[in-house]
Amino acid sequence: MSAAEELEEIAIKYAREAVELDKQGNREMAIVAYQRAIDNLLKLIHIHPNYNLNKIYIQRINVYKMRVKALQGVWYENASYGDNLTRIENN
């Protein structure tokens, strides 16, 4: 197996893991898995800049980045909402 194939397989593994964690509501771990998928796709693009699938990899990277931002937004909203509740309850 070539380095490119190995990186691609690792990225796919992390992406699948991220989706499953996302479905389970485990946002923090999903974010980590999406970021690992992104990192491996970026390594793949860097190693093989003229690879014919790079456009697809870039599209996937952008989709994963958008999902990470969405998950972070939900997580931050929930975290700040919880903090507000704690403040209200303590008053």
Side-chain angles (χ1 to χ4, degrees), residues 17-34:
E17 180 182 332
V19 170
E20 189 59 35
L21 290 164
D22 201 350
K23 285 180 184 177
Q24 294 170 2
N26 191 342
R27 291 182 182 102
E28 291 179 48
M29 293 303 296
I31 290 168
V32 170
Y34 280 123

Side-chain angles (χ1 to χ4, degrees), residues 45-83:
I45 291 168
H46 180 72
I47 290 171
H48 298 286
N50 298 321
Y51 194 49
N52 59 349
L53 295 177
N54 282 355
K55 287 182 182 180
I56 294 169
Y57 296 152
I58 291 168
Q59 290 173 347
R60 298 311 314 161
I61 288 168
N62 289 329
V63 168
Y64 298 155
K65 283 182 177 182
M66 286 178 14
R67 187 62 191 147
V68 166
K69 286 180 183 179
L71 289 172
Q72 287 172 332
V74 169
W75 186 75
Y76 288 132
E77 271 181 34
N78 288 342
S80 64
Y81 181 70
D83 290 344

Side-chain angles (χ1 to χ4, degrees), residues 85-91:
L85 281 179
T86 303
R87 284 188 214 122
I88 291 168
E89 290 171 355
N90 291 333
N91 287 334

Side-chain angles (χ1 to χ4, degrees), residues 32-49:
V32 170
Y34 280 123
Q35 289 173 329
R36 288 181 178 161
I38 291 166
D39 290 343
N40 280 283
L41 290 173
L42 287 171
K43 285 178 192 174
L44 183 57
I45 291 168
H46 180 72
I47 290 171
H48 298 286

